[in-house]
Amino acid sequence: MFIAGQWVEAEDGSVREVFNPATGEVLATVAEGGLADVRRAIAEARRAFDESDWPQTPVVERARLLHALADKLEERAEEFAVLETENCGKPLRESRFDVNDAVNCFRYYAGLINKPLGQTYEVSDPMMTMVVREPIGVCGQIVPWNYPLLIAAWKLAPCLAAGNTTVFKPAEVTPLSAIKLFELIEEVGFPSGVANLVLGAGPVVGHELAASGLVDKVAFTGGTATGRSIMQAAAGNLKKISLELGGKSPNIVFADADFEAAVEFAMFAIFANQGQVCSAGSRLLVEDSIHDRFVEALVERSRKIRVGNGLHEGTEMGPLISPAHLQKVLQYIEIGKAEGATLALGGKRLTDGEYARGNFVEPTIFTDCTPDMRIVREEIFGPVLAVLRFRDEEEAVRLANDSDYGLAGGVFTQDGAKALRVIKRLRAGITWVNTYHPTYNEAPWGGYKQSGIGRELGTYGLDAYTEIKQINVNLQVGPLGWYRND
Ligand code: NDP
């Protein structure tokens, strides 16, 4: 762990093994932080914010540090990509993409921080009224295992750019790229105590970050149930919260869509990163008139997806993150069968040969799904697609919005007006027309309904790490004359 500029073990000496989900091998043994460790890290982050000049550091200096971090990450991009694949299983081509995106995220916020941020107002008195943005203070940042490095960049870049200090906690199963990233943070010379890394279990270390009265903001990406518990824990000192939670996102295909494009994007929407994506297109809605032909093509192409160790050239889908998560996904597949959905593809764990020691599951497609089924309503977070059919635009929108979640959604049609009509009615924060999944550092990321609170990325992501202060300056200084002077 990296606390106050020092690499440290857990105070009580606890350690944890970190596994490769493709082979079951132990990749590393890391510190397992506890309450004492996270409290010390919070105290150091507090000190760095309250007593060092970090919050007042000129923005050019903060930008320089972030650029230097981006450059170092870029120089070692392949090493980070391999490590990410070893630790979280995703195919190497996806890890390379993530590292590149992380580099660009640090650069984006390094560039954004010295752009105009404030506002001035004309008011009724002879007054100069202006608004400035200031750092919030100490931030607790908690991230999941599906994009360990990329989500670390999404959290750290705006937080540090804005002049906050942080205690950062990766998921206990995927800490390796975060540890390496903090080695780079040390190398480029962020001041001591500004960026701290604590490892350990969510209900202990993460909970303390959410509950501590010394933390001013908690930012979390992960499951909706955990998000709810973080919100409750954060209520103690009414800290600011940003929550990026789960989804059950609809991908709508109209009969007039480019057929081949829609088939391939439907696959990409659910099978990228083994479906362990908050914005995965896990509900596919297909117009009646092309439904059977579409499903047939989708099943045929998905059958050919090459599942394997993400490090192997040509692998298109890797293993699930852990044996426990594999069991959860397999359970959902059983639930789908029991609910009466038709298993059109996959459904089984892969155990032959090199699959035996990893957490591999087949790309899985259920058809004949109905809106009340659990596999349609609940986030499975695996390569399991639920296909529903619709008659017309009205029904498509109704089915798409019939969810507690509202993170993302896509629509495929060659009718531009129809695409925009449908997108405008989708209750979701991230939407796509004739594509699925691309995300950009420049644009806000986050959800409606139970998919979260607030936005990351873009200018919104920087706003989320700032307080807003109004400053009123009297331009005609003199007595107010409000009180009698006799
Ligand atoms: P969690 O939401 O539990 O984990 C995300 C992060 O939160 C991890 O760092 C975890 O720590 C931490 N955490 C866990 N419990 C607490 C707590 N009480 N207080 C503070 N922090 C906590 O996700 P899981 O890994 O358990 O996955 C559960 C489900 O969540 C998945 O099956 C999936 O449906 C969903 N999920 C959604 C993600 C998304 O991007 N929207 C990402 C990951 C999961 P640690 O793991 O170290 O214990």
Side-chain angles (χ1 to χ4, degrees), residues 249-252 279 406-411 423 426 428-433 435-436:
S249 298
N251 181 19
I252 306 168
S279 54
L407 188 56
V411 57
I423 287 290
L426 274 193
I430 305 152
T431 62
W432 294 285
V433 176
T435 181
Y436 204 100

Side-chain angles (χ1 to χ4, degrees), residues 16-56:
R16 158 187 297 276
E17 289 181 328
V18 178
F19 296 92
N20 179 335
T23 63
E25 286 161 349
V26 175
L27 281 172
T29 302
V30 300
E32 170 78 350
L35 214 47
D37 303 291
V38 67
R39 286 187 176 157
R40 190 163 92 72
I42 291 170
E44 294 295 348
R46 187 78 263 164
R47 202 186 333 273
F49 189 79
D50 293 340
E51 295 169 25
S52 86
D53 56 8
W54 171 251
Q56 279 77 46

Side-chain angles (χ1 to χ4, degrees), residues 90-404:
K90 65 180 69 182
L92 199 48
R93 63 180 181 180
E94 293 187 32
S95 293
R96 289 185 178 128
F97 213 88
D98 292 357
V99 179
N100 187 47
D101 243 15
V103 168
N104 288 333
C105 184
F106 285 115
R107 289 196 177 132
Y108 174 77
Y109 283 106
L112 187 63
I113 191 59
N114 63 2
K115 302 300 175 289
L117 271 182
Q119 293 178 347
T120 59
Y121 304 121
E122 291 299 326
V123 293
S124 53
D125 292 319
M127 198 74 75
M128 179 73 166
T129 293
M130 53 194 153
V131 167
V132 296
R133 297 229 171 225
E134 297 183 340
I136 294 173
V138 176
C139 301
Q141 303 189 300
I142 305 166
V143 302
W145 40 260
N146 58 340
Y147 287 87
L149 179 72
L150 184 57
I151 299 181
W154 289 13
K155 295 265 182 290
L156 291 168
C159 171
L160 296 173
N164 300 282
T165 62
T166 177
V167 179
F168 177 87
K169 191 201 101 59
E172 52 198 345
V173 291
T174 55
L176 299 188
S177 55
I179 294 173
K180 273 226 168 304
L181 183 66
F182 270 76
E183 288 172 8
L184 302 188
I185 284 177
E186 180 188 25
E187 264 180 51
V188 304
F190 279 85
S192 157
V194 165
N196 305 276
L197 169 73
V198 176
L199 311 179
V204 180
V205 169
H207 177 80
E208 181 63 14
L209 289 174
S212 169
L214 298 177
V215 175
D216 302 299
K217 172 185 170 114
V218 61
F220 168 77
T221 300
T224 293
T226 313
R228 202 170 283 123
S229 107
I230 284 178
M231 199 170 171
Q232 280 161 352
N237 69 336
L238 289 175
K239 59 175 63 65
K240 311 282 177 283
I241 52 174
S242 297
L243 302 176
E244 204 275 277
L245 308 176
K248 191 76 189 179
S249 298
N251 181 19
I252 306 168
V253 179
F254 283 99
D256 61 1
D258 178 319
F259 191 87
E260 290 304 322
V263 169
E264 195 180 1
F265 274 107
M267 295 165 65
F268 189 55
I270 185 63
F271 299 129
N273 201 17
Q274 299 77 249
Q276 302 167 138
V277 185
C278 51
S279 54
S282 48
R283 288 186 297 145
L284 177 66
L285 315 183
V286 186
E287 190 163 355
D288 247 343
S289 58
I290 60 160
H291 176 277
D292 294 354
R293 189 163 66 92
F294 193 89
V295 165
E296 193 182 325
L298 180 68
V299 165
E300 275 328 298
R301 287 207 55 184
S302 303
R303 198 190 299 286
K304 296 179 189 146
I305 288 176
R306 284 179 279 184
V307 181
N309 186 325
L311 287 181
H312 296 168
E313 204 54 52
T315 291
E316 295 170 333
M317 204 179 97
L320 298 182
I321 190 66
S322 64
H325 191 55
L326 172 69
Q327 285 314 315
K328 178 183 158 183
V329 170
L330 291 173
Q331 243 170 31
Y332 266 112
I333 292 170
E334 291 311 310
I335 290 169
K337 289 192 231 166
E339 284 177 318
T342 303
L343 185 61
L345 180 71
K348 287 193 298 298
R349 180 180 177 186
L350 291 161
T351 49
D352 287 352
E354 73 151 25
Y355 292 132
R357 289 182 304 141
N359 315 314
F360 294 97
V361 67
E362 293 173 322
T364 297
I365 299 176
F366 278 109
T367 56
D368 300 318
C369 297
T370 54
D372 54 316
M373 289 179 178
R374 284 183 64 192
I375 58 163
V376 173
R377 307 208 72 80
E378 298 175 17
E379 184 179 44
I380 299 173
F381 223 63
V384 181
L385 180 66
V387 186
L388 295 93
R389 52 170 88 222
F390 66 85
R391 279 183 310 277
D392 54 19
E393 190 176 321
E394 203 53 38
E395 189 180 24
V397 170
R398 189 168 49 72
L399 286 172
N401 285 333
D402 182 13
S403 172
D404 291 337

